[in-house]
Amino acid sequence: MNNIMDAPFVTEMRRTTANMYRLGWDERNGGNISRLLDENEVAGYLDMNQVLRELPLGFEAKPLAGRLFIVTGSGKYFKNVEDDPETNLGVIRVGADGRTAQLLWGYQDGGRPTSELPAHLMSHMARLGVDPENRVVMHCHPTHTLAMNFVHELDEKKLTHTLWEMCTECIVVFPDGVGVLPWMLCGTNEIGAATAEKLKAFRLVVWGMHGIYGAGKTMDETFGLIETVEKAAQIYMLTAHLPRLNTIQDREMKELAEFFGVNYRKDFLNL
Ligand code: 13P
Ligand code: ZN
């Protein structure tokens, strides 16, 4: 058996959480990541027959029965993942009944997966229905995105339009726009179901006055989506209180989307 500390999926989580922490997106235990794993990715590193603990999910995830995920731990600090992945991360398998998580590795201090596991697993189910290649769900609290939530209308069309206006490449990176949920109690099945519903149409969902969710095929794609929104939000927050002398026009955004061949939310432009 190979040492799981050398597994690419552990290295990827260590590097990503460190990067997100460094960018200020994940204060204290803020944020969580789940990444779907193929059985053959894990096989050389873990004994699949050795279940360390069984954890009740508190919701039903039958379509994910047997699927494996590496998930950040609840209450764990992103800044600590790099040095101690075995305490701060876990590999879980969804049980055959879709109602339990079988712990195969990690959470070695008795911990458990993120409190946002309902949102993560429900989002994986929703995204896999849209894109069978989807593997990553990421949640964090990026500073400028969050700041923008307090001064900008929390309306999907208006928020997406403002973000698209802030960087030339925004409409190309997230042509599907940004979904928005109002403030809701986090860690619940309700916010999980609402997030998953939004992720059928978007790869990004803002949780009003809380943070953001991103979903993608790879860690890079998902990280890049959130990074691009955060950059646009930063430019908005740096300029919103100043007289606007120039702006990217809607016809120019249309030109961009057509040139790069992306399927964009035409109803989010005012043409
Ligand atoms: P966890 O520590 O349980 O992952 O919660 C962090 C968070 O961001 C809640 O929304
Ligand atoms: Zn959060």
Side-chain angles (χ1 to χ4, degrees), residues 31 116 139 141 207 210:
E116 305 296 1
H139 165 62
H141 307 159
W207 275 12
H210 178 141

Side-chain angles (χ1 to χ4, degrees), residues 29-32 72-76 113-116 139 141 186-187 207 210:
N29 65 308
N32 20 78
T72 53
S74 184
K76 300 300 187 227
T114 174
S115 59
E116 305 296 1
H139 165 62
H141 307 159
C186 56
W207 275 12
H210 178 141

